[in-house]
Amino acid sequence: MSETITTRRKSKRESKILSIDNTILNFIPLRFDLIDKLCATLEQTCLGEPDLFSEDFNVAECRPLWYQYTEEIDLIEFSDVEHTIIAGSLLLYLDEQPTPLIPYEMFEPTSGDDDKEMLATIEQIPEEVRAIFSRLLQLFQSIINHSETNKFTPERLGRIVGPYLIKAKASQVDVERTSQLIARILRNAAESIAILSVEKRILGDPPPLHENDWNILLADSKTLTCQENEVIFEERSSISNMYRITSGKIRMEKRQIDVEILCPFQTFGEECLLDSFTHSYSSAVVHETPTMVQVISKSAIQTSTAKNPELFMKFTWNLAYKLGKMLEGLPTAQKEWSQKRKKKRIAALKDKRSSTVLTSPLGGFSGTNLSDLSIEGKRMSFVPRRKPSMTVTPAQKASPTTKENAKEYQAKLNNRSGKLVIFPTYFAHTSKLLGLEKKKIFHFKKLSIIMMDKDVILVHHRKKKDVVKFKFPSYNEAKEVHLKLIEFFEVSKANGLADEEVDIDENENSPLKNTAEANQPHQNGSGVEEDWPIILLGGSTNHFQKDQIILQEGERLQKLYQIIRGSARVEITFAGEQYPKVVDRIYTDDTFGELSFLLGHGATATVIADEDDVEIYEIKQDYLKRLFKSQPALAGRFYKYLAKILESRLRLREEKFLAESDQQDFEASIHDSEEFWQLFLNDETVPNQVVDVNNYEKGLMDKEILANFNLELGCDGVSMDSLKHFDIIHRESDFRYFKDILHQKPHSTYMCIDKDLGPVIISVEDSHYLQSKNLKALVRYAQFNERIVVPYQKKKKFIPEAGSGLIDGQEFCPKLANAKLIKLDESLQAEIDEELLEFEEKSIINTYKFGVLYCKDSQFNEDEMYCNEQGSEAFDQFLNLLGNRVVLNRFQYFRGGLDVKTNTTGKNSVYTEFKNYRVMFHVSTLLPFTPGDPQQVERKRHLGNDIVVIIFKEGSHSINPAKFRTHFTQIWIVVEPIFTSSGETMYKVNIANKKGVGLYPPPLPSPPIFSDGATFRNFLLSKLINSERAAMVGEEFRPTMTRTRKTILSNLVTRFLPKQKKSLISWGSSFILPAKTNKKTLE
């Protein structure tokens, strides 16, 4: 054995300098990816071979393969190489290193038989080789597991590989001692691998900022002395300073709920250094008096770090690390925040109930909608902030050059994967590799020939005389692109469009580029153009086939990944679950692995290729460590780039979480309001607010109206203060449940036409993608929608392709117990989704039009009222309370059927927005007056088609709107002004609801007189919207709405069912019918 080692040492000295492809190599550096590929190849092909490793392998035969280790890993081929040569080249690769993989001196002090002492020594193995040594032990452990066939025991394998793994720095090598040591390690391979996988990582934790560093950063700072509860900055506000606490404490709040308490020498607000930072996540509030805070401006940080690249690297590294830790702990932080808010809401709800005059106990609330089943205990009475809708002008919509209308094609330009986008005058190829973005623009006027060869398109430049090749994934896609290019190419030549000056081929979008700083080597800006080519030298490209694992959950490899082409799914195995669940999908240009790269923890999820030939770029951490050590300014810019990615991801997840929380509160507030209304109706101590002919007292309307209307004159049990507890009814119907909840996740569609229920279409989550124990579904009947939240049962049988839970129709949806539902094919899912999204959008009503009729003193019939050309000063004051007077010409918001182009319906009207609803009023005196027409048909055409009409009545006489000639109006609200001696105006209100319209909040207080304008406006607008909503589900309109819904749903079912052949299932049963169905079954 000693002779073999001596021979090997001599061979090494003789070939100390090798010439390979004109490159002088002293040695080939150790690369984990290469070691991993060598080990994986041996594991897949030859674990049972008895000659796998040999003490006297042929070095000359192994050397050619060793030469290939200078190539990219995906270029090295092992398919035709014998396993003995692969194994020998692995040992040669380890032996040629200038320093030992594991120094023998580490183990020299340990005793011969103490395994605990040996394992403790393994824990001290240098970080840069821990992953490599662990991977080699995994290979050797697999070989020993096949010892029955290959005869490799720990002792035999230790004698062969020991001298290559553990070597002494001195010339003398104790071969026997080394072999015994490796044999002991192999006998304890599992424990050794576990120790090596502990959080020891190549990059390690960022170095802390020392006092000298802070002295530099705080040179131009200012000191603030703050008092308790003083706000330093508000949540979602824009900040441009970093803060460091000198004494006292700062409380970080989110939605007025404590998130964190910061103590002296902690910092906050350092995200302001990032260009992508837009607003603060929390409010910063002083927690105790006095508190002193040092304020450092963004410009001061940039100036300080520009002169000190080491400080810049430490600052940005710590910032990226902090953001990574925040992102890692986000689920736990969000859970704690939700629990705190839940307690706060329960306390607020108790206070609300105790403050009201109502004394009835809280009754049960039955039903299966979302507010009953999924958000118990999460109630809050505020309306969420909604995102403004994006308005697209007709010019933008028609423009063929907008990015929204341009289709993207996957294409390679000079073997660089990217996207090709075609516009009428040019086409562009863009590619991105981490922070390096390149764009190449080709103007049709500058091209001479565009031709196609199989899946390649060749473009000839007229002046440069060069040929550019675009390679596409398939022939069909190349053909489609070629036809489009030829079309625009011919049009461009015919139209003679002007040439552009130059082609663009630069990194204009690179996060590391800043031309003003290009010549400043230690500048701390976004970076310089040369950074990324240097950084990317440490990376490589790999290809993965469908369902092949790219990154394994728990894997401790500090790498950065980017999808160059294709897509992948992200899976997580949650605690207590047997199988992983898909939680996300990532696509071309998306990056992943940043957290494990920075923090060194195991990967938090498994990433799996979702299609064939997914191209992944990965960058090595060991290369970056060496690079950053020599170029700290470049390291600082790289960590700033990483911090931007993490900050953006953190912000998006926070916004998504808050939006979901707001939606829960939104639906909970609906539940609270409806519960409060039901409590009010069931309270026996409150007199009935609806009067009949026997107890009618004089009001604003004649007694005769009671023949066809229910009259509200006021209820003694209602105070003005209690009105604020009543909200808009049926608000859950305003939420786009399918679009915002189900459509965002993997889901399936089931449908049928039932003899009793009519058409039924169900959208249901795929349960194997769920993170929670609940399965959400939306059932669409002809009459209404029903939202269902079902705890899925693991032990029950599966719904086909819907995952691991069976919806129990008997318990949660008894109407569907006997319905025969057919699951649509996945190929039809996108098409049906478009139809269902449109159906949902049309079902949501957030715009209203109400009539306002002016009635002078002593006017009794409608013709007299419609003939009033102008209103009084009191009427104008009432209109100002309702909303804003707007000019109709070119009015851009909800117009309520009024002409906004030619003034045929008047020049002005009254418009308002209330609780995210848009309201247009048809005011009789603002509509055109037609001389000689006693009925004023043009005015009546608008007010007569309004479901709710306000009559502003002056004088003390009573009127009877029941005599008005209209079959459409269901609710009349009569308002009478009352003038006080002090000059103030109060309003008395009576309401008449056509029989068949149910009760709706808010109730009319007693006496029905409002003195506060804001309270009256809030009451009146709420009453207007709720009255129309109640009328739409009343006896008059409900049949019409049901017929319309039934027609639409029936058309969808009859359109889509014949397109596919899928299994027929019984929704309420636990069995599945055969997949083959005949025409009679479908009918």
Side-chain angles (χ1 to χ4, degrees):
M1 179 66 189
S2 59
E3 293 178 2
T4 304
I5 295 297
T6 305
T7 304
R8 296 287 296 108
R9 296 288 173 228
K10 184 178 180 182
S11 173
K12 177 179 177 180
R13 286 192 297 270
E14 291 174 350
S15 58
K16 187 66 177 178
I17 298 179
L18 301 174
S19 177
I20 303 175
D21 296 333
N22 298 321
T23 301
I24 303 300
L25 295 180
N26 290 323
F27 67 98
I28 301 175
L30 276 179
R31 294 163 49 192
F32 176 84
D33 58 342
L34 184 54
I35 295 286
D36 183 48
K37 186 167 184 177
L38 287 165
C39 293
T41 303
L42 295 174
E43 288 171 341
Q44 294 168 8
T45 57
C46 50
L47 287 178
E49 298 293 338
D51 59 344
L52 178 56
F53 283 103
S54 174
E55 293 179 312
D56 52 353
F57 64 89
N58 192 319
V59 176
E61 291 182 353
C62 298
R63 183 71 68 185
L65 183 60
W66 181 81
Y67 289 164
Q68 293 187 42
Y69 295 169
T70 59
E71 304 288 342
E72 293 291 339
I73 187 170
D74 54 346
L75 300 178
I76 303 175
E77 278 295 336
F78 298 116
S79 56
D80 299 328
V81 182
E82 293 184 5
H83 60 271
T84 54
I85 295 179
I86 298 175
S89 66
L90 173 59
L91 297 181
L92 178 63
Y93 184 31
L94 297 172
D95 192 48
E96 292 289 348
Q97 298 303 310
T99 58
L101 182 67
I102 307 296
Y104 174 78
E105 288 77 8
M106 284 186 62
F107 293 91
E108 195 170 18
T110 61
S111 59
D113 300 322
D114 191 347
D115 288 343
K116 290 185 178 179
E117 191 176 359
M118 179 199 67
L119 293 174
T121 306
I122 288 177
E123 194 170 359
Q124 305 304 317
I125 289 177
E127 294 180 9
E128 56 268 19
V129 296
R130 291 173 71 91
I132 292 175
F133 190 48
S134 175
R135 184 65 184 92
L136 291 169
L137 289 182
Q138 292 176 36
L139 169 65
F140 300 147
Q141 186 182 32
S142 300
I143 294 173
I144 293 172
N145 291 338
H146 291 73
S147 59
E148 292 183 1
T149 55
N150 60 30
K151 308 304 179 184
F152 277 109
T153 62
E155 289 72 17
R156 181 191 171 198
L157 192 57
R159 285 196 304 271
I160 298 174
V161 303
Y164 300 94
L165 299 178
I166 299 179
K167 295 185 290 188
K169 295 180 180 179
S171 58
Q172 296 297 325
V173 179
D174 189 344
V175 177
E176 189 64 26
R177 169 77 168 138
T178 301
S179 302
Q180 292 175 359
L181 183 58
I182 287 296
R184 287 174 54 209
I185 293 176
L186 293 178
R187 283 195 297 268
N188 297 273
E191 293 83 353
S192 301
I193 293 170
I195 290 173
L196 292 169
S197 64
V198 175
E199 297 172 10
K200 296 283 186 178
R201 50 194 194 276
I202 288 181
L203 290 177
D205 291 339
L209 293 173
H210 298 296
E211 196 60 35
N212 291 336
D213 299 325
W214 282 113
N215 291 337
I216 297 173
L217 290 170
L218 298 174
D220 297 325
S221 66
K222 298 179 181 178
T223 301
L224 296 179
T225 302
C226 309
Q227 304 302 315
E228 187 175 1
N229 293 326
E230 185 176 343
V231 179
I232 296 179
F233 55 76
E234 294 282 0
E235 181 180 354
R236 300 188 67 84
S237 62
S238 177
I239 58 176
S240 57
N241 300 314
M242 183 180 81
Y243 303 85
R244 187 174 189 247
I245 304 171
T246 305
S247 63
K249 294 181 180 179
I250 295 293
R251 181 175 69 251
M252 306 305 292
E253 294 182 354
K254 188 182 300 178
R255 302 287 174 86
Q256 299 182 345
I257 296 174
D258 295 356
V259 177
E260 185 182 9
I261 302 295
L262 301 180
C263 300
F265 306 113
Q266 288 187 279
T267 60
F268 57 98
E270 53 264 61
E271 298 92 343
C272 69
L273 184 66
L274 305 177
D275 301 331
S276 61
F277 185 72
T278 56
H279 56 255
S280 59
Y281 306 112
S282 310
S283 301
V285 183
V286 178
H287 190 62
E288 61 182 32
T289 301
T291 292
M292 298 183 68
V293 178
Q294 291 174 299
V295 185
I296 316 149
S297 67
K298 176 180 177 180
S299 59
I301 297 173
Q302 292 173 333
T303 303
S304 301
T305 56
K307 303 173 184 177
N308 191 327
E310 290 282 351
L311 176 59
F312 178 53
M313 180 194 70
K314 291 167 68 174
F315 185 88
T316 54
W317 192 352
N318 278 275
L319 174 56
Y321 188 85
K322 178 180 178 179
L323 291 170
K325 296 292 285 186
M326 290 174 63
L327 199 56
E328 182 187 43
L330 191 61
T332 302
Q334 290 174 343
K335 184 178 180 180
E336 293 175 354
W337 182 81
S338 297
Q339 291 173 346
K340 290 180 181 179
R341 188 171 66 162
K342 177 181 177 180
K343 293 178 181 179
K344 185 175 181 180
R345 296 190 61 259
I346 292 175
L349 188 60
K350 290 179 179 178
D351 293 341
K352 187 177 83 170
R353 287 172 179 163
S354 62
S355 65
T356 180
V357 297
L358 305 179
T359 58
S360 297
L362 178 64
F365 202 74
S366 60
T368 56
N369 60 48
L370 180 62
S371 60
D372 303 327
L373 295 177
S374 68
I375 53 174
E376 183 178 355
K378 295 183 180 178
R379 299 173 182 166
M380 207 166 193
S381 54
F382 66 83
V383 179
R385 183 187 292 108
R386 295 192 178 186
K387 294 181 179 179
S389 58
M390 300 297 293
T391 304
V392 181
T393 64
Q396 289 175 321
K397 209 168 188 179
S399 173
T401 62
T402 58
K403 186 176 180 180
E404 290 78 3
N405 293 330
K407 183 177 178 181
E408 295 180 342
Y409 299 91
Q410 294 291 330
K412 280 189 174 183
L413 173 60
N414 299 329
N415 291 324
R416 187 178 180 90
S417 297
K419 299 175 182 177
L420 185 74
V421 188
I422 305 173
F423 299 94
T425 58
Y426 67 93
F427 59 97
H429 183 272
T430 59
S431 59
K432 178 182 178 184
L433 197 55
L434 293 180
L436 181 63
E437 298 182 19
K438 286 191 174 183
K439 178 189 284 186
K440 176 79 173 177
I441 295 180
F442 301 85
H443 298 279
F444 288 113
K445 287 289 292 181
K446 294 188 175 182
L447 305 179
S448 58
I449 301 175
I450 300 176
M451 57 188 298
M452 177 179 168
D453 180 17
K454 296 181 181 179
D455 58 352
V456 175
I457 292 180
L458 304 174
V459 176
H460 295 251
H461 198 282
R462 184 192 307 164
K463 296 179 180 178
K464 297 181 180 179
K465 304 297 182 183
D466 58 350
V467 179
V468 180
K469 296 181 180 180
F470 294 94
K471 184 175 176 58
F472 294 86
S474 66
Y475 168 81
N476 290 334
E477 193 163 344
K479 183 177 180 181
E480 180 183 347
V481 173
H482 183 247
L483 291 175
K484 284 192 174 184
L485 292 177
I486 292 297
E487 177 186 353
F488 288 127
F489 179 58
E490 297 296 335
V491 172
S492 177
K493 289 197 300 183
N495 294 340
L497 297 177
D499 289 351
E500 296 289 340
E501 292 297 325
V502 293
D503 286 340
I504 299 177
D505 185 9
E506 59 182 350
N507 310 339
E508 58 183 24
N509 298 320
S510 173
L512 290 181
K513 181 183 176 183
N514 189 321
T515 54
E517 300 159 350
N519 297 317
Q520 302 180 31
H522 300 313
Q523 184 57 267
N524 63 359
S526 297
V528 294
E529 185 176 352
E530 291 78 13
D531 284 352
W532 278 112
I534 297 173
I535 291 172
L536 296 176
L537 285 176
S540 60
T541 302
N542 293 320
H543 295 262
F544 297 85
Q545 301 308 309
K546 186 173 183 180
D547 296 329
Q548 188 176 353
I549 293 177
I550 302 170
L551 177 64
Q552 180 69 51
E553 183 177 0
E555 194 173 35
R556 284 177 163 83
L557 296 179
Q558 287 179 278
K559 294 183 181 180
L560 284 180
Y561 301 85
Q562 181 192 317
I563 300 180
I564 298 178
R565 182 178 67 249
S567 62
R569 63 183 182 272
V570 182
E571 294 184 352
I572 294 179
T573 303
F574 292 96
E577 300 291 338
Q578 184 178 1
Y579 301 103
K581 298 184 184 299
V582 176
V583 296
D584 198 6
R585 279 183 164 78
I586 49 181
Y587 303 92
T588 301
D589 293 342
D590 286 343
T591 59
F592 58 96
E594 294 91 350
L595 281 187
S596 58
F597 179 87
L598 268 176
L599 308 181
H601 300 170
T604 56
T606 299
V607 182
I608 304 174
D610 229 9
E611 55 188 270
D612 285 332
D613 199 25
V614 175
E615 189 175 354
I616 300 291
Y617 182 85
E618 58 184 50
I619 191 167
K620 314 297 187 302
Q621 74 281 43
D622 52 348
Y623 170 80
L624 290 180
K625 181 180 181 180
R626 296 194 301 269
L627 178 65
F628 292 167
K629 189 174 182 179
S630 62
Q631 300 192 42
L634 183 147
R637 290 189 288 268
F638 177 80
Y639 283 122
K640 183 177 178 181
Y641 160 77
L642 263 188
K644 286 182 182 181
I645 293 177
L646 297 175
E647 190 278 326
S648 177
R649 191 172 299 168
L650 182 66
R651 172 160 35 90
L652 290 175
R653 292 187 184 179
E654 279 277 75
E655 289 176 352
K656 181 181 179 182
F657 169 74
L658 291 176
E660 292 174 351
S661 300
D662 284 348
Q663 183 55 44
Q664 290 177 345
D665 291 336
F666 174 56
E667 300 197 8
S669 67
I670 296 168
H671 183 275
D672 284 350
S673 177
E674 293 181 351
E675 188 179 70
F676 200 86
W677 175 240
Q678 293 296 325
L679 182 62
F680 170 79
L681 294 179
N682 297 332
D683 190 356
E684 297 178 357
T685 65
V686 179
N688 191 347
Q689 64 168 335
V690 180
V691 300
D692 56 31
V693 69
N694 296 320
N695 60 8
Y696 177 75
E697 298 179 2
K698 179 174 174 58
L700 305 182
M701 287 179 268
D702 289 339
K703 183 177 181 179
E704 299 175 4
I705 198 173
L706 292 172
N708 299 311
F709 285 80
N710 294 319
L711 199 60
E712 292 183 51
L713 299 180
C715 180
D716 293 335
V718 179
S719 64
M720 290 292 178
D721 185 62
S722 67
L723 294 178
K724 65 184 180 182
H725 298 317
F726 298 97
D727 202 354
I728 304 301
I729 61 172
H730 308 152
R731 289 196 74 175
E732 69 277 0
S733 62
D734 298 333
F735 176 52
R736 294 165 176 82
Y737 188 77
F738 177 65
K739 178 181 179 180
D740 295 339
I741 298 296
L742 298 178
H743 189 251
Q744 302 296 329
K745 304 174 182 177
H747 61 281
S748 302
T749 302
Y750 299 82
M751 57 174 56
C752 74
I753 296 181
D754 187 77
K755 63 179 181 180
D756 298 322
L757 300 173
V760 179
I761 299 181
I762 303 175
S763 298
V764 59
E765 282 183 303
D766 289 348
S767 61
H768 56 289
Y769 293 119
L770 291 180
Q771 298 184 34
S772 65
K773 297 290 184 182
N774 294 330
L775 187 72
K776 297 183 181 68
L778 178 64
V779 186
R780 305 171 186 84
Y781 302 102
Q783 297 81 8
F784 57 89
N785 291 343
E786 187 172 24
R787 301 174 188 175
I788 301 177
V789 178
V790 185
Y792 74 88
Q793 309 294 326
K794 289 185 184 179
K795 296 181 180 179
K796 294 190 176 182
K797 296 183 180 179
F798 298 166
I799 293 177
E801 301 182 31
S804 57
L806 175 68
I807 294 180
D808 190 342
Q810 296 287 355
E811 180 180 354
F812 291 96
C813 203
K815 306 180 192 69
L816 298 173
N818 299 315
K820 306 299 182 183
L821 290 150
I822 297 178
K823 181 181 183 297
L824 280 189
D825 285 338
E826 291 184 2
S827 60
L828 299 173
Q829 193 62 52
E831 187 178 354
I832 188 65
D833 280 355
E834 289 185 10
E835 299 288 348
L836 294 177
L837 287 170
E838 183 179 0
F839 174 74
E840 181 179 61
E841 196 66 33
K842 290 181 178 178
S843 302
I844 295 174
I845 301 174
N846 51 21
T847 56
Y848 292 90
K849 55 187 183 66
F850 303 115
V852 183
L853 182 60
Y854 175 58
C855 173
K856 290 183 179 179
D857 190 6
S858 301
Q859 287 184 338
F860 294 92
N861 64 69
E862 62 175 328
D863 290 344
E864 293 175 329
M865 301 178 194
Y866 276 113
C867 286
N868 292 325
E869 294 189 46
Q870 294 181 342
S872 63
E873 182 179 348
F875 182 59
D876 289 339
Q877 183 180 350
F878 174 70
L879 293 180
N880 292 334
L881 184 145
L882 287 180
N884 301 317
R885 191 164 300 205
V886 296
V887 177
L888 288 177
N889 190 25
R890 297 183 180 179
F891 185 68
Q892 296 181 353
Y893 300 97
F894 174 63
R895 61 189 183 92
L898 299 179
D899 181 13
V900 294
K901 294 182 179 180
T902 57
N903 293 333
T904 59
T905 56
K907 296 181 179 180
N908 301 96
S909 190
V910 176
Y911 170 85
T912 191
E913 293 185 4
F914 178 73
K915 293 186 176 180
N916 293 317
Y917 300 102
R918 297 181 176 185
V919 180
M920 177 65 78
F921 293 95
H922 295 156
V923 183
S924 60
T925 56
L926 297 180
L927 290 167
F929 175 77
T930 306
D933 182 2
Q935 295 185 359
Q936 293 299 314
V937 175
E938 275 301 309
R939 290 180 169 181
K940 193 178 294 185
R941 182 169 65 88
H942 292 283
L943 275 75
N945 287 303
D946 290 331
I947 296 175
V948 187
V949 174
I950 301 172
I951 300 178
F952 185 85
K953 181 185 74 68
E954 295 179 339
S956 59
H957 62 294
S958 300
I959 58 176
N960 184 9
K963 294 183 178 180
F964 288 12
R965 295 182 295 273
T966 175
H967 297 288
F968 202 79
T969 304
Q970 304 289 300
I971 295 100
W972 299 93
I973 300 178
V974 180
V975 178
E976 180 182 295
I978 300 174
F979 305 102
T980 65
S981 57
S982 60
E984 296 180 354
T985 303
M986 299 190 297
Y987 297 96
K988 184 176 182 180
V989 180
N990 282 182
I991 301 172
N993 303 292
K994 200 169 187 178
K995 291 185 177 179
V997 177
L999 293 177
Y1000 51 91
L1004 191 62
S1006 181
I1009 298 175
F1010 296 84
S1011 58
D1012 180 70
T1015 302
F1016 177 53
R1017 182 178 187 274
N1018 187 75
F1019 166 84
L1020 187 57
L1021 290 174
S1022 297
K1023 198 71 173 176
L1024 284 166
I1025 294 172
N1026 283 342
S1027 62
E1028 180 161 327
R1029 290 190 163 212
M1032 294 305 293
V1033 296
E1035 296 178 359
E1036 186 89 15
F1037 294 110
R1038 186 172 59 236
T1040 304
M1041 293 183 65
T1042 301
R1043 283 196 303 270
T1044 303
R1045 284 179 57 93
K1046 185 175 182 179
T1047 301
I1048 296 174
L1049 294 176
S1050 296
N1051 289 340
L1052 290 177
V1053 175
T1054 54
R1055 272 179 54 197
F1056 281 92
L1057 278 189
K1059 292 184 178 182
Q1060 56 94 50
K1061 299 176 182 179
K1062 251 320 187 188
S1063 58
L1064 190 66
I1065 71 166
S1066 177
W1067 186 263
S1069 305
S1070 60
F1071 61 86
I1072 303 171
L1073 297 181
K1076 293 184 178 179
T1077 57
N1078 54 36
K1079 292 183 178 180
K1080 291 184 179 180
T1081 307
L1082 289 175
E1083 292 172 355

